[in-house]
Amino acid sequence: MVVEWIGENQLFLWASYAMIAATLAATYIETGFVPRNSSATALIAAIALFMVSGMLFVFSIVNLISYFLFIPSIKNDAALFSTVHASHLLHPLTSAFVFGLLALNLITGGTAAWACWVGLLLIYAVHTHRLTLALALESEQPQAETLLLTLNLIFGGEIVTMAAGGKPLAPWRLNALPENTWIVDVRTKHEFQWNRMGAAENYPWGMGLQEASQAKSKDTPVLVVCLSGHRSPAVALSLRRLGFKSVHNLTWGLLYLMILKKGEKGAGPFALTRSQEDAERRGQ
């Protein structure tokens, strides 16, 4: 319960941004953002960190804009953002500030600014660790790839997936995939029972995938999906390591797709289908 509360509670997020503001204020008061005489190594490190920070910042802002732009009714579905996707969409943005402020401190070097940045780093590290634990606890496999989960949180699942040769796929681009795509649903069996894509096969957290993959051509396109897009990147990377040439990860998961396709009746392998058992509980 404690891990779940920390994962969902926004206290750590607000504390992080308070420390970001404090670090910027301390830097301005102490140095006025004027660079000091830094070594060549410090300058090179700062430039590299600024580049990483800038990339993460731009990517995170575009990701956030896309998320809200394509939700049909943010007024009705805002609760889903705050409870399911908020931390995981905002965490890479926080990472951008952590890296960027480290670079700033390397070339300005104010004592108070360094103290504030260390405080920010501690809050950020604890929050990242707790979010990773919350995701790992959902797994039915004790050996869930926690390193990949952590990297997904720090840099964003899309960046990690692309870095490993995978392809993030926005929910509104599903029709770009061929009908023979192997749809790998990595949610639990209970989640899979209630709603899924018509042609999806269930491999909770990737269990049984290695054996199943032996019967598939490595040229077969693959789409990996989960509920909210937090579990699927790690499995997508596993499929890349197994030799599949075209592996896609569904951005933001089936939850976003359900919002996007609310009230629509589709057909084909990517159309959502629901169990007819106990229809009164489907909304839960």
Side-chain angles (χ1 to χ4, degrees):
M1 289 299 293
V2 173
V3 170
E4 182 179 347
W5 178 86
I6 291 176
E8 295 180 355
N9 193 277
Q10 302 304 310
L11 176 63
F12 278 83
L13 184 63
W14 290 115
S16 295
Y17 282 89
M19 291 305 295
I20 289 169
T23 306
L24 285 170
T27 303
Y28 177 74
I29 292 170
E30 283 187 311
T31 68
F33 298 122
V34 176
R36 60 183 174 84
N37 292 326
S38 303
S39 66
T41 302
L43 285 173
I44 292 171
I47 292 170
L49 286 166
F50 274 131
M51 291 177 64
V52 172
S53 174
M55 179 191 69
L56 280 176
F57 182 81
V58 171
F59 186 86
S60 299
I61 294 298
V62 170
N63 217 17
L64 282 167
I65 292 172
S66 299
Y67 186 92
F68 286 112
L69 185 63
F70 289 98
I71 286 186
S73 174
I74 191 61
K75 180 179 178 181
N76 296 330
D77 300 309
L80 291 175
F81 170 76
S82 62
T83 58
V84 178
H85 284 153
S87 294
H88 303 274
L89 281 171
L90 293 174
H91 212 68
L93 183 60
T94 310
S95 301
F97 284 109
V98 171
F99 291 128
L101 290 175
L102 174 58
L104 184 63
N105 281 348
L106 285 174
I107 59 176
T108 58
T111 304
W114 272 112
C116 291
W117 183 84
V118 170
L120 166 64
L121 182 63
L122 289 174
I123 294 169
Y124 172 78
V126 171
H127 195 200
T128 303
H129 177 63
R130 293 304 185 182
L131 286 171
T132 303
L133 284 181
L135 281 175
L137 286 175
E138 295 177 11
S139 172
E140 295 181 351
Q141 285 183 288
Q143 68 272 25
E145 298 186 53
T146 54
L147 176 59
L148 282 174
L149 293 176
T150 303
L151 289 174
N152 291 339
L153 284 169
I154 294 173
F155 297 105
E158 291 80 8
I159 288 180
V160 174
T161 302
M162 288 188 292
K167 304 170 185 177
L169 184 77
W172 53 88
R173 294 191 60 245
L174 277 173
N175 291 335
L177 295 177
E179 291 196 356
N180 68 331
T181 298
W182 183 23
I183 305 174
V184 175
D185 192 318
V186 301
R187 296 174 299 156
T188 65
K189 294 186 182 299
H190 293 294
E191 290 175 285
F192 185 76
Q193 177 186 359
W194 291 110
N195 51 42
R196 58 188 177 273
M197 290 183 183
E201 299 176 14
N202 189 213
Y203 301 94
W205 275 90
M207 289 189 295
L209 260 183
Q210 187 165 0
E211 295 79 7
S213 68
Q214 295 174 4
K216 301 282 185 180
S217 166
K218 297 302 183 288
D219 292 322
T220 303
V222 185
L223 174 66
V224 188
V225 302
C226 65
L227 179 62
S228 56
H230 303 144
R231 289 171 280 181
S232 53
V235 179
L237 302 194
S238 297
L239 285 162
R240 281 288 299 165
R241 288 199 294 266
L242 287 172
F244 286 89
K245 298 176 182 177
S246 180
V247 180
H248 299 81
N249 175 64
L250 184 64
T251 304
W252 307 317
L254 286 176
L255 182 61
Y256 193 99
L257 185 64
M258 283 185 269
I259 297 171
L260 200 64
K261 300 294 183 181
K262 188 183 296 182
E264 294 183 15
K265 290 186 177 180
F270 306 109
L272 291 171
T273 180
R274 292 184 175 183
S275 169
Q276 298 303 312
E277 301 175 14
D278 197 0
E280 293 181 358
R281 293 190 59 200
R282 287 203 300 247
Q284 298 178 16

